[in-house]
Amino acid sequence: MNGDKTERISQESECRNESASCILESASAVARGVLEEIKALAGTTACKSVQLVRLKKWAQEHGCWYSDCSVLGEFFDRGSENETYISHDQTEIVKLNDFRYSDDNITSFFERIKAHNVYFDACSYRMIGFGENREGKVCAILIQPYIAEARLATMQEVHDEFIRLGFRPEDNGEYYTNGQHDILKSAHRNREFVY
């Protein structure tokens, strides 16, 4: 992200006829289409609720709607934006993301997932569809490998990893940037890296 502009990272080359890989790109296109329609009709970008309704319908029509999330695994924990499950074979973590951090539209959510996958391919997300969490909110269903012996990274390890990836601290350490994407300090504090 650069100021008000967000650069799209295409995953078309990654689709390779794998439906799970294409779900992210297709869902992103549905959300982007809704955003463009609402902007043209109403002159606003506030369209999150319409995007969620359309994505639910799209997921149901394309066989990637999960009406029973218990098939994904056993409930594990609830974070700030994700309800997490551990797969039945305990090899994957399943996250139901409720788009809590997407203010008035969810288009940027898909771009953040794509960017995450570019920089952190060892723990990349695979989007398998949509469902409702325990609160009844429409969620994106994302899967990552389960890392059994993980520990939270230290702040220094996180800093070093950002530097290794070509990011630099800006604004007195409030965020990291590589000129194309910004990572806020809040993500740095969460220490999403595991070792």
Side-chain angles (χ1 to χ4, degrees):
M1 192 159 31
N2 184 4
D4 291 337
K5 295 188 321 186
T6 301
E7 184 172 324
R8 289 190 58 240
I9 298 175
S10 177
Q11 285 194 320
E12 287 295 331
S13 63
E14 294 182 21
C15 282
R16 294 183 294 256
N17 297 323
E18 296 174 15
S19 63
S21 296
C22 292
I23 290 172
L24 177 61
E25 192 64 33
S26 297
S28 178
V30 170
R32 202 170 38 259
V34 171
L35 174 62
E36 290 167 6
E37 284 179 42
I38 298 294
K39 280 171 59 175
L41 291 170
T44 182
T45 61
C47 59
K48 183 177 181 178
S49 60
V50 177
Q51 287 171 317
L52 293 174
V53 167
R54 292 253 186 103
L55 280 168
K56 179 177 181 177
K57 182 179 183 208
W58 174 85
Q60 290 169 330
E61 291 171 353
H62 288 85
C64 56
W65 178 260
Y66 289 79
S67 55
D68 178 11
C69 290
S70 69
V71 301
L72 302 170
E74 185 178 327
F75 178 77
F76 186 70
D77 198 4
R78 168 75 202 179
S80 60
E81 67 178 334
N82 293 305
E83 203 172 84
T84 58
Y85 294 75
I86 187 160
S87 65
H88 294 294
D89 64 3
Q90 299 191 347
T91 62
E92 297 175 315
I93 291 291
V94 181
K95 295 180 179 180
L96 275 65
N97 185 295
D98 65 10
F99 305 103
R100 188 168 295 185
Y101 294 145
S102 299
D103 294 327
D104 60 356
N105 85 72
I106 63 173
T107 308
S108 63
F109 166 82
F110 300 104
E111 300 308 319
R112 287 192 309 269
I113 296 300
K114 293 175 197 177
H116 170 91
N117 289 349
V118 167
Y119 297 114
F120 309 110
D121 61 339
C123 61
S124 63
Y125 288 108
R126 187 168 40 100
M127 186 171 182
I128 63 165
F130 294 86
E132 290 181 351
N133 64 11
R134 293 172 169 213
E135 298 171 359
K137 294 181 180 179
V138 173
C139 296
I141 302 175
L142 306 163
I143 296 179
Q144 287 182 294
Y146 175 64
I147 303 169
E149 300 298 321
R151 68 167 174 79
L152 287 177
T154 66
M155 296 298 273
Q156 186 61 50
E157 287 170 329
V158 172
H159 171 80
D160 293 347
E161 183 67 8
F162 281 142
I163 299 303
R164 187 190 71 73
L165 291 169
F167 287 82
R168 65 186 180 283
E170 292 288 333
D171 197 18
N172 217 15
E174 287 300 310
Y175 68 97
Y176 284 75
T177 188
N178 65 0
Q180 181 180 8
H181 294 105
D182 298 339
I183 299 176
L184 300 177
K185 190 174 185 177
S186 60
H188 180 260
R189 272 196 295 268
N190 287 339
R191 300 180 296 182
E192 293 283 336
F193 301 94
V194 291
Y195 288 89

